[in-house]
Amino acid sequence: MKHILIITSLILCLSCQNRHNKKTELNKEKTNNIENPVLNKELDSLYNIGIFNGFSATIVDTTGIVYNQGFGYADVNEKKKYIENTIINIASVSKVFIGVALLKAQEMKLLHLDDPINKHLPFKVINPNYPKEIITIKQLATHTSSIVDTDIYMETCYINKDDIPISKDLNRYELYYQNSSKKWISLAEYLSKILKKDNVFYNTSTFSNRKPGKLYEYSNIGAALCGLIIEYASRQSFNDFTKEHIFQLLEMSSTSWFFEEVDNTNYSKLYYDELELPYYKILSYPDGGLITSSTDLGKFLVDLIKGYSGNGSILSSASYTEIFKSQLEDQAFAKKKNYNVGIFTEKELAYNVIGHTGGDPGTNTMLFFNTETKKGRIFITNTDSKKENSHSVMFDIWKALDKY
């Protein structure tokens, strides 16, 4: 996750209580707007506190989507409601899709997680501090590659989609809007500029002074590089690969990595409290650029839960096991306890939950499921907030979803 103003202490609110209520059966003839009047009332009251301009809240289990509601506005000025089919970029929750795509590519014998990354790349990536050490795909997927995010990366990866000048009231976001739409380049070209020695954005600070495979260090660049590896291994763009092997299979018809491929009339505005933010695109798009709705994302989470039990539709049982199992030893986490990672999945071990968080300008997201109850939750909002109670309200919404 590149930018998080709201999500800081998720562990405090991930605990899933053992409350069991009768689930609403998913009727395929009904709309995706699945209601629970009691929960609606509680979430309405939290919306009315005035932190979020719009958000969606979703509950799923192995039967499908059992609750799916939007609250507030996707466009405040136009009074356009935020609904279950509103689309928005979901920031680093996107990385879970990289993990599924990697395992699909492995099933297709296009690559193996233990492959050296340079086997599948058009340019060499070498940590100059450990030039003889091999960096593997699995190290990228578990954030142990020794490739780290830098100021250069943050200053170059965002593109001002419509070249809208940032107002003085939004100067804290200047970093994300300084690059014009004319600077859009392909994923391969951008990552080569960052990682290929002597290229324009190359800097040795992109590589930590730690041996690959030793320490967990969250890396957006490493995640994007996995997307590029899939492109070269499959001879297909990452966009097309995920469309064919994930989105189409799950009937995620409102989902894409690019603005040009979605219905812009359903796209939410982005906000910093009451102020509207311009749209942006991300050159390293696999690490956080997926555009989707709570309905489509709910379909994906249902499949993850089924996959955890060996019944998913995208991957084999062995591949789901690989995605969800703890990949690292405790000593890999310098500052985290009761924590581990799968393949681009986060695991809060004390609470038996697996998933991911995400944050970018104007969007904050959470997607997790409980491995014991087989129930999952999704929260997506179109608002960053500096208000003191923003964290508590968000987590009250998150906890409310666990009651039903």
Side-chain angles (χ1 to χ4, degrees):
M1 61 206 79
K2 301 181 186 70
H3 168 86
I4 301 176
L5 297 180
I6 295 179
I7 301 172
T8 56
S9 55
L10 178 62
I11 190 171
L12 297 176
C13 296
L14 284 175
S15 178
C16 290
Q17 303 167 16
N18 292 321
R19 303 176 185 175
H20 298 281
N21 293 317
K22 185 177 180 180
K23 299 290 189 296
T24 301
E25 288 296 324
L26 180 60
N27 186 331
K28 293 183 179 180
E29 296 181 355
K30 292 182 179 179
T31 69
N32 294 313
N33 190 4
I34 303 167
E35 298 192 19
N36 176 317
V38 178
L39 180 54
N40 284 355
K41 184 178 180 180
E42 183 169 357
L43 294 181
D44 270 329
S45 68
L46 290 167
Y47 165 73
N48 288 331
I49 293 172
I51 299 298
F52 304 112
N53 293 291
F55 68 87
S56 59
T58 309
I59 304 171
V60 307
D61 61 18
T62 55
T63 71
I65 298 174
V66 297
Y67 181 84
N68 194 23
Q69 283 286 304
F71 297 84
Y73 295 100
D75 187 327
V76 174
N77 287 337
E78 297 295 327
K79 300 301 180 185
K80 183 178 180 180
K81 294 289 187 179
Y82 198 111
I83 63 174
E84 73 282 358
N85 293 320
T86 296
I87 59 174
I88 192 170
N89 52 302
I90 58 169
S92 283
V93 170
S94 306
K95 290 181 175 69
V96 183
F97 289 84
I98 308 176
V100 173
L102 277 174
L103 269 296
K104 173 55 69 173
Q106 180 169 272
E107 286 182 2
M108 297 167 66
K109 302 189 184 307
L110 301 174
L111 54 76
H112 193 281
L113 292 179
D114 292 323
D115 284 347
I117 61 174
N118 288 328
K119 178 179 179 180
H120 301 287
L121 290 172
F123 53 87
K124 296 293 183 184
V125 178
I126 297 171
N127 184 334
N129 302 303
Y130 295 91
K132 295 183 179 180
E133 290 294 324
I134 293 173
I135 300 173
T136 68
I137 296 174
K138 183 176 285 190
Q139 288 168 355
L140 294 178
T142 57
H143 299 288
T144 58
S145 68
S146 76
I147 298 171
V148 296
D149 297 334
T150 62
D151 289 342
I152 294 172
Y153 162 75
M154 291 297 297
E155 292 166 2
T156 58
C157 72
Y158 290 91
I159 297 293
N160 190 327
K161 177 183 177 292
D162 300 309
D163 296 319
I164 296 175
I166 195 81
S167 73
K168 62 180 181 180
D169 296 321
L170 294 171
N171 57 14
R172 68 186 298 163
Y173 291 96
E174 285 178 344
L175 174 68
Y176 307 98
Y177 296 97
Q178 61 182 331
N179 300 303
S180 75
S181 59
K182 295 179 181 178
K183 292 189 176 182
W184 181 264
I185 54 178
S186 70
L187 180 63
E189 186 177 356
Y190 176 65
L191 290 177
S192 71
K193 287 175 182 280
I194 290 278
L195 295 166
K196 185 178 179 181
K197 187 176 181 181
D198 297 328
N199 260 9
V200 61
F201 300 141
Y202 180 86
N203 192 290
T204 56
S205 65
T206 306
F207 301 90
S208 70
N209 193 22
R210 281 174 281 273
K211 189 176 179 181
K214 290 297 182 182
L215 189 67
Y216 173 89
E217 296 173 285
Y218 192 89
S219 174
N220 288 290
I221 300 175
L225 195 59
C226 270
L228 186 62
I229 286 170
I230 291 169
E231 287 196 349
Y232 278 85
S234 66
R235 298 183 180 181
Q236 190 176 20
S237 73
F238 182 72
N239 177 40
D240 287 342
F241 187 89
T242 50
K243 186 185 301 182
E244 178 181 349
H245 297 291
I246 303 176
F247 308 153
Q248 291 177 354
L249 289 176
L250 296 180
E251 298 182 350
M252 297 173 66
S253 58
S254 298
T255 301
S256 178
W257 299 94
F258 299 119
F259 280 87
E260 298 78 12
E261 297 184 357
V262 294
D263 183 353
N264 290 335
T265 62
N266 289 332
Y267 204 105
S268 176
K269 298 291 188 180
L270 305 175
Y271 296 94
Y272 172 53
D273 285 326
E274 291 75 30
L275 300 173
E276 186 178 319
L277 290 161
Y279 291 134
Y280 51 86
K281 300 194 291 186
I282 304 173
L283 291 173
S284 56
Y285 73 89
D287 68 19
L290 190 64
I291 300 167
T292 192
S293 67
S294 62
T295 298
D296 274 10
L297 196 56
K299 294 175 183 178
F300 180 68
L301 184 54
V302 169
D303 192 76
L304 291 182
I305 296 172
K306 289 181 177 180
Y308 184 84
S309 303
N311 300 311
S313 60
I314 301 174
L315 302 172
S316 68
S317 178
S319 290
Y320 283 110
T321 297
E322 186 69 28
I323 285 179
F324 298 130
K325 78 177 184 182
S326 295
Q327 297 285 340
L328 304 178
E329 301 295 330
D330 290 345
Q331 56 265 32
F333 303 98
K335 298 180 181 180
K336 292 178 179 284
K337 294 183 179 180
N338 294 315
Y339 182 86
N340 214 300
V341 295
I343 302 299
F344 285 120
T345 53
E346 300 175 349
K347 304 181 66 175
E348 296 289 355
L349 302 176
Y351 303 118
N352 304 306
V353 293
I354 299 175
H356 216 290
T357 59
D360 263 322
T363 181
N364 287 279
T365 56
M366 293 187 284
L367 174 149
F368 282 86
F369 72 91
N370 186 294
T371 59
E372 293 186 339
T373 65
K374 307 297 190 300
K375 184 174 77 173
R377 293 173 281 171
I378 298 169
F379 170 80
I380 305 172
T381 182
N382 61 6
T383 310
D384 277 340
S385 179
K386 65 179 178 181
K387 297 174 183 176
E388 289 185 3
N389 60 338
S390 60
H391 288 77
S392 61
V393 173
M394 182 180 69
F395 290 127
D396 283 345
I397 294 169
W398 188 245
K399 288 185 289 185
L401 295 178
D402 193 45
K403 297 177 182 178
Y404 302 94

